[in-house]
Amino acid sequence: EQVYCPNSDQLITTKLEIKNLNTTAVNSVYIQISIGYISSEDILKLNGTHPNINSFWDPIEAKLTLSTRSAGEVPNQDLISAVENVVFSSTNPNPNINKTFSISLGSANYLPSTGHYYEFFPNISIPWTEAKISAENKSYYGIKGYLVTILSQEEADISGKLTKGVGWI
């Protein structure tokens, strides 16, 4: 836990470790303000010079994507260094809402309070029964998919406000 000093850039982490279970390099890292995001005030950005890394801020999902610039392998250390240089800032001179950040190697949104991942799949006019079957046939890093059951305001925010469309729950 860190205390934010208004009108400043605050590092979101000071130490990150990526442990691969195989020999392939990681190509992207996703950092999201998963709890407490205020779209008109909050932002994540990459500070410093990182010649092998692209960064993209998506204010709809409150997510910063860091990805390798080249198709070839880039050392994980380049991505680790970039994540360790990501900062949070707010235009609110007196922010009073706690923020929670999640860091993921996959593009799904992660909610620390539930330990669940949330992923939106655009499919216009899909009936609920087909959406349920489609979700149950998905897998995310070995976790079986399902349509979300919203049990808290945080889940409503991450599966509703921080999503680029409407869908079934």
Side-chain angles (χ1 to χ4, degrees):
E1 188 169 305
Q2 298 180 41
V3 176
Y4 176 70
C5 181
N7 301 313
S8 69
D9 290 342
Q10 176 75 41
L11 290 172
I12 62 155
T13 187
T14 56
K15 179 85 171 121
L16 177 72
E17 211 176 314
I18 296 176
K19 293 182 179 180
N20 280 350
L21 299 177
N22 55 38
T23 58
T24 59
V26 175
N27 295 323
S28 298
V29 175
Y30 304 87
I31 301 125
Q32 184 178 42
I33 305 171
S34 51
I35 299 173
Y37 175 61
I38 300 175
S39 61
S40 61
E41 299 175 2
D42 301 338
I43 190 169
L44 294 174
K45 63 184 176 182
L46 176 60
N47 272 357
T49 303
H50 304 274
N52 292 326
I53 305 297
N54 286 322
S55 68
F56 172 72
W57 168 248
D58 182 346
I60 295 171
E61 290 188 278
K63 187 183 289 185
L64 180 69
T65 300
L66 303 177
S67 57
T68 57
R69 288 188 187 205
S70 64
E73 287 194 14
V74 172
N76 285 349
Q77 188 54 46
D78 288 5
L79 276 170
I80 291 170
S81 175
V83 171
E84 290 175 347
N85 282 279
V86 169
V87 295
F88 165 80
S89 63
S90 174
T91 58
N92 186 334
N94 190 23
N96 59 359
I97 297 175
N98 289 338
K99 313 291 179 187
T100 300
F101 306 97
S102 61
I103 302 170
S104 176
L105 300 180
S107 60
N109 298 334
Y110 178 72
L111 187 58
S113 62
T114 64
H116 293 184
Y117 292 90
Y118 303 79
E119 191 167 15
F120 174 73
F121 295 97
N123 191 340
I124 297 173
S125 301
I126 187 173
W128 182 87
T129 52
E130 289 180 30
K132 181 178 184 296
I133 291 167
S134 178
E136 289 169 351
N137 287 327
K138 301 283 185 200
S139 176
Y140 187 75
Y141 290 99
I143 302 168
K144 185 174 172 34
Y146 60 93
L147 291 180
V148 66
T149 301
I150 298 173
L151 299 174
S152 69
Q153 183 62 52
E154 292 171 352
E155 277 190 305
D157 290 346
I158 203 161
S159 61
K161 285 195 317 190
L162 301 181
T163 301
K164 292 183 175 184
V166 296
W168 292 109
I169 55 173

